[in-house]
Amino acid sequence: MTTRETSAEIDAAAADWAVRVDDGPLDPQGQAALDGWLAGDSRRLGAYARARAVFAQARRVKALGSDFDPDAYADANRARPADRGTVVPIAEAGDADHRPTRRRLLIWGGSAVAAGAVGMIGLGWPAAAQTYSTGKGEIRLVPLSDGSSITLNTLSEVRVRYRADERHVELVQGEALFDVAHDAHRPFLVDAGDTEVRAIGTSFTVRWLGTQPVQVLVRQGVVEIARPEQPAVRPQRVAANVRAVAPPAAPIVETPLAPQAVSRQLAWREGMLAFEDMPLRDAAAEFARYSDVRITFADPGIGNETVTGLYAANNPRGFARSVAMSLGLQARNGPESVTMAR
Amino acid sequence: MEASREGALAGRSNDRTMTRITAERELWLARHILPHEAALREQLARWRLPDDLEADDVIQESYSRLASMESVADIRSPRNYFYSVARTTILLHLRRSRIVPIRTVDDLDSFEVPADQPSPEEQASDREQLHLLALAVARLPEPGRKAFILRATEEVSHREIGERLGMTGNAVQKSLSKTIQMLGNLLGRGGNADPRASNQQTQSRESYSNDHARDERRD
């Protein structure tokens, strides 16, 4: 076997090329030299592409602002463990204004460490609200400091504010599953629109899509649903395996569900949608929450057909194809939509 | 799905004429592939690679394939795709070898490449990436760090960086090249991977590479 160039040698040469290309377009001789070098070994293109990607990623130091001081940043972050859950977020230029500036965060970075220490000896610390959100088609698990967690479904946003006497979460929009760690002295409150859901140790989802009434699905334990702005409406306790719908200015409606039905309603956590005898029209509306590809019907009657099954939430075309097959329909793909026709 | 993809990769000819990597592809690799490289390296360390194939080779070959693909628009989960490209790279290598170590095949079989579906952990937060970058930059030695920050934030030419830092243009280029290699090691091996990286500032490129070869074995 002939002596092979080591991958480290290739990486070094690739970095040279990436730096040269970054300084400006290569002249024809330079380009020819690069092409010649790349042709010599299949690994070279990879190393070169990687070096370019590293450079592209590294250029994002711009986003840290002109006053970014690497040493101060490292110092501020050295004290805390390098664990994903406690990463001190960095504000980027152009962020929405409810996010603190980088400078403030550096200070908070220090005080968050202090807060942890103080918390251990039993003192509270006024925590800032923390916002978590997902884009279309995203699912995100947010572990919280008390052992509770929030799983955010597509296009959702929560604001979390923990105090010594209360754990408060505002569901700004969308849908989220709350797995609440038991703490009798600190109730866990979820606000969605005009509805407040109170839990102690339980697991439940709250869904608020704006156009529909707030919906609560209890998986374990008991929650209490209240309407703080309507004193006439008494808080209502809702047990496990019950779906409660809270329409504005009307009584809360409870529907008992089989445990399997509750699991089905939570299929989104695995990126799936589960339907049982669901009209196609409603299924199409569900898919629209996860993808920009719309499912449309050539004839409105098709929307009344029902469907049962488990489908990948981000694949409306695949859903349309398989439903078309089982119902003897056609699925016609357009650029932004898929149309179901007879 | 998986089989057809493998077939497509295997059927790809070796001529890689697409040497001009577009800015778009460069960014896609930076945002969607590079953040998963450290985890893939861990996976590679668990596989028993054949003696004549190193993890670095697999990584380079995998990037090579991702760089020369005509389009990446259909890839739903870049992470899973990256993994499956790495696995195919190893399989192709084995197919070309005359002797196939049975252990390797077992390892590969036991590794289920997940479906091309984005997972929650795939959405590695942008902020976290930026945080890792900030920490990595903090570990760069001077004068490479200053040169790099000038280049990245002010887009100053190599010659002007040289004038400001009292270096020749050529020295700036060498320094930047070394900086990119170090950032590649810091970002591609998990940001905080090796605390000794900060002590490597005075080492020559040769001993730096050796150091990394050693890391690879230790992994």
Side-chain angles (χ1 to χ4, degrees):
Chain A
M1 208 170 159
T2 52
T3 317
R4 223 161 97 103
E5 189 181 17
T6 68
S7 45
E9 285 161 355
I10 293 177
D11 272 335
D16 287 346
W17 280 113
V19 166
R20 272 185 69 180
V21 168
D22 170 68
D23 198 33
L26 296 173
D27 57 23
Q29 293 96 317
Q31 186 64 47
L34 172 58
D35 289 346
W37 179 73
L38 287 169
D41 185 317
S42 62
R43 294 171 296 165
R44 291 178 180 171
L45 175 63
Y48 174 59
R50 180 177 180 273
R52 292 263 309 259
V54 167
F55 211 145
Q57 180 69 1
R59 258 181 232 121
R60 299 186 66 211
V61 286
K62 269 191 283 199
L64 297 167
S66 55
D67 57 346
F68 169 60
D69 177 345
D71 296 321
Y73 188 88
D75 285 343
N77 287 279
R78 191 157 291 151
R80 48 174 206 85
D83 130 37
R84 286 180 139 237
T86 57
V87 163
V88 179
I90 302 161
E92 277 182 76
D95 262 355
D97 37 5
H98 65 265
R99 284 173 179 144
T101 64
R102 186 182 63 83
R103 204 157 268 289
R104 297 254 317 268
L105 273 166
L106 286 181
I107 298 162
W108 286 1
S111 55
V113 175
V118 172
M120 281 198 292
I121 54 166
L123 290 176
W125 192 269
Q130 187 86 43
T131 302
Y132 304 95
S133 61
T134 48
K136 189 175 269 193
E138 280 183 352
I139 299 161
R140 182 171 176 196
L141 174 70
V142 181
L144 301 173
S145 56
D146 64 328
S148 301
S149 67
I150 302 176
T151 312
L152 287 177
N153 198 355
T154 178
L155 280 179
S156 303
E157 180 173 333
V158 289
R159 278 191 205 125
V160 178
R161 191 186 293 271
Y162 271 21
R163 294 205 314 241
D165 57 342
E166 183 184 289
R167 297 171 283 177
H168 188 264
V169 178
E170 183 190 346
L171 178 64
V172 181
Q173 62 160 342
E175 180 171 24
L177 169 71
F178 301 91
D179 288 295
V180 180
H182 181 81
D183 185 346
H185 303 292
R186 273 171 103 201
F188 192 99
L189 295 173
V190 180
D191 268 332
D194 64 347
T195 304
E196 185 183 273
V197 183
R198 173 183 292 259
I200 295 170
T202 178
S203 173
F204 62 100
T205 68
V206 179
R207 171 170 166 161
W208 188 42
L209 301 181
T211 53
Q212 294 165 19
V214 173
Q215 180 185 307
V216 179
L217 180 70
V218 184
R219 188 162 74 137
Q220 280 163 25
V222 176
V223 302
E224 194 173 82
I225 302 176
R227 295 302 212 11
E229 288 156 30
Q230 298 171 55
V233 180
R234 283 224 194 119
Q236 188 165 328
R237 290 201 157 218
V238 178
N241 298 322
V242 171
R243 176 171 50 210
V245 177
I252 293 165
V253 182
E254 293 189 24
T255 316
L257 294 177
Q260 299 92 305
V262 174
S263 315
R264 213 160 42 230
Q265 300 268 328
L266 289 168
W268 58 263
R269 287 185 304 162
E270 275 83 49
M272 306 298 280
L273 290 175
F275 301 131
E276 192 173 271
D277 289 333
M278 169 82 93
L280 274 178
R281 186 177 302 105
D282 297 345
E286 272 295 293
F287 272 103
R289 292 174 63 201
Y290 298 86
S291 162
D292 287 330
V293 175
R294 294 293 160 137
I295 300 173
T296 59
F297 307 105
D299 151 16
I302 296 174
N304 297 331
E305 301 267 7
T306 62
V307 59
T308 295
L310 188 64
Y311 301 94
N314 59 6
N315 190 4
R317 293 185 198 277
F319 165 76
R321 204 165 42 235
S322 89
V323 168
M325 217 160 354
S326 67
L327 295 178
L329 302 169
Q330 289 182 327
R332 295 186 195 133
N333 278 314
E336 297 291 323
S337 67
V338 51
T339 302
M340 308 202 62
R342 294 203 191 274
Chain B
M1 185 91 170
E2 183 55 29
S4 67
R5 193 166 277 152
E6 241 175 66
L9 281 171
R12 187 180 290 283
S13 68
N14 270 336
D15 85 305
R16 293 170 204 282
T17 46
M18 194 193 140
T19 60
R20 269 153 248 213
I21 295 160
T22 62
E24 198 185 355
R25 185 63 54 88
E26 172 186 293
L27 271 184
W28 183 83
L29 291 169
R31 301 285 146 85
H32 300 291
I33 297 298
L34 184 62
H36 303 296
E37 186 185 312
L40 175 59
R41 282 179 183 278
E42 281 172 29
Q43 181 68 57
L44 290 175
R46 283 195 289 273
W47 287 342
R48 186 160 300 197
L49 294 180
D51 288 342
D52 57 344
L53 188 68
E54 288 179 13
D56 280 330
D57 297 329
V58 177
I59 295 284
Q60 286 174 347
E61 293 280 9
S62 301
Y63 272 95
S64 181
R65 276 166 213 282
L66 292 169
S68 55
M69 281 173 72
E70 226 157 84
S71 162
V72 293
D74 290 337
I75 299 178
R76 285 173 187 285
S77 164
R79 170 185 171 272
N80 294 346
Y81 195 74
F82 189 28
Y83 276 51
S84 92
V85 166
R87 183 176 180 271
T88 307
T89 301
I90 302 167
L91 286 172
L92 287 177
H93 179 91
L94 291 174
R95 216 166 282 168
R96 282 194 298 264
S97 315
R98 302 192 61 114
I99 303 162
V100 177
I102 287 169
R103 191 47 215 285
T104 307
V105 175
D106 284 351
D107 285 356
L108 283 170
D109 279 347
S110 70
F111 179 66
E112 295 270 322
V113 176
D116 185 19
Q117 295 260 346
S119 57
E121 66 265 29
E122 174 135 6
Q123 269 100 42
S125 105
D126 211 39
R127 261 145 226 287
E128 193 180 318
Q129 293 301 324
L130 211 47
H131 170 73
L132 292 175
L133 174 63
L135 289 181
V137 170
R139 295 167 72 163
L140 294 172
E142 297 293 3
R145 183 165 86 181
K146 267 201 198 78
F148 161 70
I149 290 179
L150 280 173
R151 180 67 208 148
T153 60
E154 296 180 36
E155 287 167 35
V156 180
S157 73
H158 291 179
R159 191 205 306 214
E160 200 182 327
I161 295 171
E163 280 163 14
R164 292 208 206 168
L165 301 181
M167 297 160 75
T168 66
N170 200 22
V172 169
Q173 199 162 311
K174 281 202 173 121
S175 180
L176 284 173
S177 170
K178 204 158 169 197
T179 301
I180 290 304
Q181 286 176 74
M182 292 184 90
L183 284 172
N185 285 325
L186 288 164
L187 299 174
R189 291 167 203 263
N192 279 328
D194 186 357
R196 287 172 307 149
S198 54
N199 302 326
Q200 286 167 349
Q201 347 182 324
T202 54
Q203 292 177 356
S204 67
R205 175 183 286 167
E206 283 70 32
S207 64
Y208 182 69
S209 316
N210 288 341
D211 215 38
H212 266 286
R214 203 160 58 235
D215 283 353
E216 208 52 58
R217 279 190 289 277
R218 189 196 56 194
D219 286 343

